[in-house]
Amino acid sequence: MLGYALGYRRFKLFPAEVSGGVKALKAFAGAFPGIRFCPTGGVRPDNLSDYMAGSNVMCVGGSWMLDPALIRSGDWPCVEAATAEALALLP
């Protein structure tokens, strides 16, 4: 509510699944039609399309998308491949 009062209209929702997930986002859409979210925490390949179907979801985040070891090792071709795989899951 403070963020809204300060004029913000884009928010991260974490942890999304334990905070109500898709059902919570649907409820927020009715109460706050101008707000959009980036849910993280519990977003997985099997529920990604449910999240992305929400009119108030602009993007999602999730640790399933990329193994941190790839970044630490500088394996940029594998980072690129993992990114492409995650994007391919979008509806």
Side-chain angles (χ1 to χ4, degrees), residues 22 43 63 65 68 79-80 91:
V22 173
V43 179
S63 58
M65 292 184 213
V79 167
E80 185 177 347

Side-chain angles (χ1 to χ4, degrees), residues 1-46:
M1 295 305 301
L2 178 59
Y4 188 85
L6 291 171
Y8 294 101
R9 298 297 182 265
R10 305 292 183 259
F11 296 93
K12 177 179 179 178
L13 177 63
F14 175 83
E17 277 291 289
V18 300
S19 298
V22 173
K23 289 181 181 180
L25 287 163
K26 286 180 182 178
F28 293 152
F32 303 103
I35 291 181
R36 298 191 65 204
F37 293 92
C38 173
T40 67
V43 179
R44 304 174 308 275
D46 64 311

Side-chain angles (χ1 to χ4, degrees), residues 23-89:
K23 289 181 181 180
L25 287 163
K26 286 180 182 178
F28 293 152
F32 303 103
I35 291 181
R36 298 191 65 204
F37 293 92
C38 173
T40 67
V43 179
R44 304 174 308 275
D46 64 311
N47 65 10
L48 172 65
S49 61
D50 295 333
Y51 276 99
M52 291 302 296
S55 62
N56 60 347
V57 174
M58 61 185 166
C59 61
V60 300
S63 58
W64 58 269
M65 292 184 213
L66 184 61
D67 181 348
L70 297 175
I71 295 173
R72 285 193 299 274
S73 68
D75 190 346
W76 307 122
C78 283
V79 167
E80 185 177 347
T83 302
E85 287 175 18
L87 289 171
L89 295 172

